[in-house]
Amino acid sequence: MCTCVRLWLLLLVLHRLTLAAGARRERRNVLFIMADDLRTSLGCYGDSVVKSPNIDQLASKSQVFLNAYAQQAVCAPSRTSMLTSRRPDTTRLYDFKSYWRVHSGNYTTMPQYFKSRGYFTTSVGKIFHPGIASNHSDDYPYSWSIPAYHPASFRFEKQKMCKGEDGKLHANLLCAVNVTEQPGGTLPDLETTDEAVRLLKNLANDDVPFFLAVGFHKPHIPFRIPQEYLSLYPIDQMTLAPDPDVPKSLPPVAYNPWMDVRKRDDVQKLNISFPYGPMPKDFQLHVRQHYYAAVSYMDAQVGRLLSALDELGLADSTMVVFTSDHGWSLGEHGEWAKYSNFDVATRVPLIFYVPGVTTLHDWLGESAFPFIDVLTKSNYSFQNARVIRNVVELVDVFPTVSYMAGLRAPEPCADVSFQEELCTEGDNLAHTFRHRERGEDEEAISFSQYPRPADAPQVNSDLPDLKDIKVMGYSLRSWDYRYTLWLGFNPKTFQVNVSDVHAGELYMLADDPGQDNNVYSDSDHSVIMKKMASLPHTVSLQMRMKLQLLYLTAGMKTKRGKA
């Protein structure tokens, strides 16, 4: 009897392994979920304050990339870069005012690629940045099988919808509301979830595979959210950022003066001096409270969406990808919002649920994603050994999603690829799903960048128009370092002058994880610049910065050894 049981168990294991191996190459549906301005303030990323049980539940059955970075910390450039798998210097989109297909190249997008392979593709909420950046159509009909859906209530986001202490409505930053009193009795992300669930119901019995992209607007400002979510974060339990002051060694060109936050009615009343004047501490606590509440509100919408996927029997055939366009500073370095090259602005969550790969079929019939009401049960213990600690980038998403869904990943781009419609400037991360991470990979690098109009902060430093860009901050992030160079940039020719160094930043992450102590000036850069000048002009900026970082850190290690 014992032998029979053992044999049965062995056959069952072999059967499950066979299913898992086959599942890796069969075509899967894709549910692509993107939050707006979400940093890694999630329980599954080690944040002890936030309450994000539904996303944590997803992460527990997924592969979680702990160090994923956006290519530019602002909406339109980042989303265009991720969805085309081209860096901002290839899309040539650094602001909100051009459409890449006519501005730089007719690049194939991720949903367009799936559509060309027989998928039904559709967008709900904010996926592409609306407006000129996506041709006022969310790149329809190239990327989508049907026109993109935007919630009708979003048109009220920039209007005076926030009740102030005077009883009047204002365009505030802090905007917790009674939903029943809002136009239509709803909010954009509530409408987005309703529409996405409706689409899933229609797609559930269709033989055509689908690529459904769902973009939530929160935690983007204003924090116009249901007021009940504030109760999750009592103000007397909120704390300030661990490093709320502007670092003395921070170059002025690197500072983000958070103008979009300053323009809100409630912030204007504070009369904060420009550009470095600190926000009052009590108001900082309220901003942090509202940001976290917005994350929990968004988490609830993700939970509604995933539970519907599960209830419709699609969890075993649908890959779920969850990410964000970039992070958001919550007072670190005296900064708020995005618009910088620091980790808090560029680091994003990146979570892949791949049925048959990150989790096996549940033979007991248990629900994969039961909805967790964050207002009544906010804690979820995240436990998952499938985490990747090495650095990855959002340009890696397109090739990885394609391959893990069962399609062929786009080929790597040539050094100059403006004429290539389909290629990737990222890496296919499929190998990370097959092999356990063996430790630190010093070769794993992420590149981000941010433009500035001048060496000192001014009112358009956060988001300069292309014509006003004079300096480009290129930032390299490795396991041990963040290295940034602010270089002269010509917006007419899109050329960077590698010898025109306006400022530099170097952070040693082992001793300075918050990136507060810039040690760039501790080294003699004249020798390095001479070495760089001898390199052929064909050597890419990324390779130059890698070599410079090697020289810099080798010199510092030598000095420390002598000391």
Side-chain angles (χ1 to χ4, degrees):
M1 180 68 179
C2 183
T3 302
C4 292
V5 170
R6 288 177 178 173
L7 180 60
W8 181 83
L9 288 173
L10 177 62
L11 290 173
L12 178 60
V13 169
L14 289 173
H15 177 64
R16 293 178 72 174
L17 289 174
T18 301
L19 286 176
R24 286 175 185 149
R25 295 310 301 150
E26 70 182 21
R27 286 197 173 193
R28 298 183 179 89
N29 303 315
V30 178
L31 175 57
F32 186 79
I33 308 172
M34 196 188 312
D36 200 354
D37 288 18
L38 176 66
R39 58 195 246 156
T40 53
S41 290
L42 297 170
C44 53
Y45 279 81
D47 191 306
S48 60
V49 176
V50 76
K51 295 172 175 60
S52 53
N54 292 287
I55 297 172
D56 294 344
Q57 179 176 244
L58 169 66
S60 70
K61 300 179 180 182
S62 303
Q63 179 155 295
V64 179
F65 293 89
L66 294 181
N67 285 292
Y69 293 88
Q71 274 47 75
Q72 187 176 328
V74 70
C75 301
S78 175
R79 289 166 182 265
T80 300
S81 174
M82 172 167 46
L83 292 167
T84 61
S85 196
R86 310 293 184 99
R87 301 183 186 278
D89 278 349
T90 303
T91 66
R92 291 179 169 174
L93 178 64
Y94 312 105
D95 56 15
F96 293 74
K97 298 185 176 180
S98 63
Y99 179 43
W100 79 91
R101 292 191 188 275
V102 297
H103 184 63
S104 54
N106 189 30
Y107 308 137
T108 300
T109 69
M110 177 166 58
Q112 180 183 1
Y113 181 57
F114 275 81
K115 182 183 176 186
S116 71
R117 297 303 187 271
Y119 276 69
F120 177 83
T121 63
T122 184
S123 171
V124 178
K126 185 179 178 181
I127 296 298
F128 284 103
H129 191 84
I132 299 174
S134 57
N135 202 34
H136 299 283
S137 67
D138 293 83
D139 198 44
Y140 174 80
Y142 295 100
S143 290
W144 312 111
S145 302
I146 58 175
Y149 169 89
H150 289 285
S153 61
F154 182 72
R155 68 188 180 93
F156 299 105
E157 281 288 281
K158 295 184 179 181
Q159 297 183 19
K160 295 183 177 183
M161 303 300 299
C162 320
K163 188 174 293 184
E165 294 179 355
D166 58 3
K168 298 179 181 180
L169 294 180
H170 301 273
N172 286 345
L173 174 67
L174 310 182
C175 193
V177 299
N178 182 336
V179 176
T180 62
E181 297 177 353
Q182 297 300 293
T186 189
L187 292 172
D189 283 351
L190 298 176
E191 283 193 286
T192 290
T193 308
D194 290 344
E195 176 64 13
V197 170
R198 186 191 69 80
L199 280 168
L200 280 176
K201 290 178 179 178
N202 290 339
L203 295 168
N205 298 316
D206 201 326
D207 292 332
V208 177
F210 64 80
F211 181 104
L212 171 59
V214 181
F216 293 111
H217 287 92
K218 295 305 166 211
H220 193 288
I221 61 173
F223 299 124
R224 182 169 166 249
I225 58 173
Q227 58 194 14
E228 55 266 29
Y229 286 91
L230 289 182
S231 65
L232 297 171
Y233 304 96
I235 195 66
D236 60 353
Q237 296 179 22
M238 300 306 297
T239 59
L240 300 176
D243 51 351
D245 300 321
V246 180
K248 294 180 180 179
S249 57
L250 183 70
V253 69
Y255 184 71
N256 146 41
W258 37 283
M259 280 302 299
D260 61 340
V261 171
R262 293 175 187 270
K263 292 176 181 177
R264 308 291 163 165
D265 290 356
D266 49 353
V267 179
Q268 285 189 8
K269 291 180 181 178
L270 302 174
N271 293 318
I272 302 170
S273 62
F274 181 90
Y276 297 115
M279 185 183 289
K281 290 182 179 179
D282 61 336
F283 199 83
Q284 289 188 42
L285 294 174
H286 281 91
V287 175
R288 290 170 67 86
Q289 175 199 38
H290 280 69
Y291 183 90
Y292 278 107
V295 173
S296 293
Y297 162 55
M298 182 271 300
D299 175 84
Q301 308 320 306
V302 173
R304 289 176 57 205
L305 183 59
L306 292 177
S307 64
L309 184 83
D310 195 10
E311 291 168 3
L312 291 167
L314 293 169
D316 285 336
S317 58
T318 304
M319 176 170 66
V320 180
V321 182
F322 178 85
T323 190
S324 171
D325 50 0
H326 45 72
W328 215 80
S329 296
L330 280 171
E332 295 86 358
H333 315 110
E335 295 183 333
W336 301 87
K338 46 249 186 177
Y339 313 124
S340 83
N341 284 318
F342 283 119
D343 273 21
V344 285
T346 56
R347 186 176 171 221
V348 296
L350 182 58
I351 299 169
F352 277 75
Y353 164 82
V354 188
V357 178
T358 62
T359 185
L360 298 178
H361 180 78
D362 190 340
W363 296 96
L364 299 178
E366 294 183 359
S367 178
F369 302 117
F371 176 72
I372 304 173
D373 187 349
V374 68
L375 295 172
T376 59
K377 183 183 177 183
S378 58
N379 293 323
Y380 183 89
S381 179
F382 169 68
Q383 295 180 340
N384 188 345
R386 297 191 68 101
V387 295
I388 302 298
R389 292 179 173 82
N390 280 300
V391 173
V392 300
E393 308 178 272
L394 287 186
V395 285
D396 302 336
V397 169
F398 184 168
T400 306
V401 171
S402 301
Y403 187 88
M404 298 308 294
L407 305 181
R408 178 177 294 180
E411 293 296 319
C413 294
D415 289 341
V416 179
S417 61
F418 291 104
Q419 302 304 316
E420 293 185 53
E421 293 187 8
L422 177 62
C423 66
T424 175
E425 293 182 1
D427 293 324
N428 180 2
L429 304 175
H431 66 281
T432 65
F433 292 83
R434 297 192 297 266
H435 306 290
R436 185 176 295 273
E437 191 173 55
R438 295 185 177 181
E440 175 183 345
D441 180 2
E442 294 183 354
E443 296 298 315
I445 297 292
S446 169
F447 287 96
S448 304
Q449 61 189 99
Y450 210 85
R452 295 284 190 236
D455 287 335
Q458 53 189 50
V459 293
N460 65 336
S461 287
D462 290 348
L463 192 60
D465 291 343
L466 173 61
K467 64 180 176 58
D468 297 323
I469 298 173
K470 300 295 187 295
V471 187
M472 187 71 72
Y474 291 95
S475 192
L476 179 157
R477 176 59 157 85
S478 68
W479 182 290
D480 295 311
Y481 309 102
R482 178 167 286 286
Y483 175 48
T484 304
L485 285 179
W486 295 91
L487 304 173
F489 183 83
N490 187 330
K492 294 182 179 179
T493 62
F494 300 96
Q495 294 299 307
V496 60
N497 186 345
V498 295
S499 61
D500 182 19
V501 181
H502 290 236
E505 298 170 75
L506 178 60
Y507 304 100
M508 321 290 279
L509 301 180
D511 301 323
D512 182 25
Q515 300 161 31
D516 297 301
N517 183 27
N518 178 15
V519 298
Y520 178 81
S521 60
D522 292 356
S523 299
D524 181 2
H525 297 275
S526 60
V527 176
I528 297 175
M529 293 306 294
K530 288 180 181 178
K531 290 179 179 290
M532 293 298 103
S534 66
L535 292 174
H537 293 297
T538 54
V539 176
S540 68
L541 175 62
Q542 286 88 348
M543 180 56 68
R544 287 174 182 273
M545 290 188 65
K546 283 184 183 181
L547 293 172
Q548 289 176 43
L549 181 59
L550 287 173
Y551 291 138
L552 281 171
T553 54
M556 289 181 173
K557 290 175 181 176
T558 301
K559 288 181 180 179
R560 288 180 178 178
K562 291 180 179 179

